[in-house]
Amino acid sequence: MRVFLKILAICLLAVTVFAAGTVLYALETRIPGIEIVQSQAVPAADIRDQFETLQGQLASGTCTGHVFMEEATPELDESTFLTVTLRLRNRCFFPMEWIEAAVIPEEGDILEERDERPRVLAAGSEGDLSVRILNGNGKKDSRSIRINYYLLGKLFETEIHIIFDKKAEDQQV
């Protein structure tokens, strides 16, 4: 009987150590790996047709993006499109659900366009998120992007600071 209890105690200790290691690993990997795939600032004059389409949508109130300044009337020469693509890596055992990336607006930001579909990253997988910002005062140096996601039904949030390059031609994708 003593031998049985010793073996049982050793097995329970091994299971406890394994469970504790699993929990610690899950806690450590709950924050996704984030890589900036692309960040560029493009003057609105370079993509005039897209700017005019957005300007018309803003004037008519039919814009599908998140509008920060309702009464804004952006000028072509002063406006800039800031585009960022982020690659997220789920390092956790559990899937990340309802992932979204949203810009923290700064002065002059008029609207943000992003994919509104719910995103899910399976355990160990990766995926891309894109955000485009229309800025009306030419400020194009940097922005903070907030990434929200759920793990096991609990909301998590992380932020990344993006510095936009001066020239779109210098970007490597």
Side-chain angles (χ1 to χ4, degrees):
M1 184 67 154
R2 282 181 98 158
V3 173
F4 174 73
L5 290 176
K6 284 182 181 181
I7 293 173
L8 182 63
I10 291 171
C11 289
L12 287 175
L13 180 63
V15 167
T16 303
V17 168
F18 178 75
T22 302
V23 168
L24 289 174
Y25 180 80
L27 288 174
E28 181 62 31
T29 60
R30 71 185 183 276
I31 298 172
I34 302 171
E35 174 187 344
I36 301 169
V37 176
Q38 174 185 10
S39 66
Q40 62 182 351
V42 179
D46 292 357
I47 46 178
R48 182 183 206 108
D49 55 336
Q50 293 179 26
F51 175 79
E52 289 172 352
T53 302
L54 277 176
Q55 194 175 33
Q57 290 174 349
L58 281 169
S60 65
T62 60
C63 186
T64 58
H66 294 272
V67 180
F68 301 126
M69 297 172 50
E70 294 292 332
E71 295 84 27
T73 53
E75 298 295 325
L76 180 66
D77 296 334
E78 297 175 2
S79 297
T80 305
F81 284 101
L82 305 173
T83 306
V84 64
T85 302
L86 303 173
R87 179 159 297 141
L88 274 64
R89 286 185 180 82
N90 183 1
R91 303 175 300 160
C92 191
F93 290 136
F94 308 107
M96 294 171 59
E97 301 171 322
W98 292 93
I99 305 166
E100 71 173 1
V103 69
I104 298 172
E106 291 188 10
E107 182 181 344
D109 288 348
I110 297 170
L111 69 91
E112 157 193 69
E113 294 179 305
R114 59 185 162 154
D115 190 0
E116 295 290 333
R117 295 177 294 166
R119 301 281 184 145
V120 175
L121 273 182
S125 66
E126 63 182 37
D128 292 349
L129 294 174
S130 294
V131 177
R132 185 167 85 157
I133 307 155
L134 175 61
N135 179 274
N137 68 1
K139 187 173 184 307
K140 58 182 177 183
D141 53 354
S142 65
R143 293 292 182 282
S144 290
I145 306 288
R146 180 177 294 128
I147 300 164
N148 298 321
Y149 57 96
Y150 285 85
L151 273 176
L152 297 175
K154 183 175 182 195
L155 175 64
F156 286 91
E157 188 174 283
T158 188
E159 257 182 49
I160 185 168
H161 193 73
I162 309 291
I163 298 174
F164 290 95
D165 293 336
K166 302 287 184 213
K167 289 184 161 182
E169 304 89 55
D170 296 337
Q171 291 295 316
Q172 290 183 352
V173 179

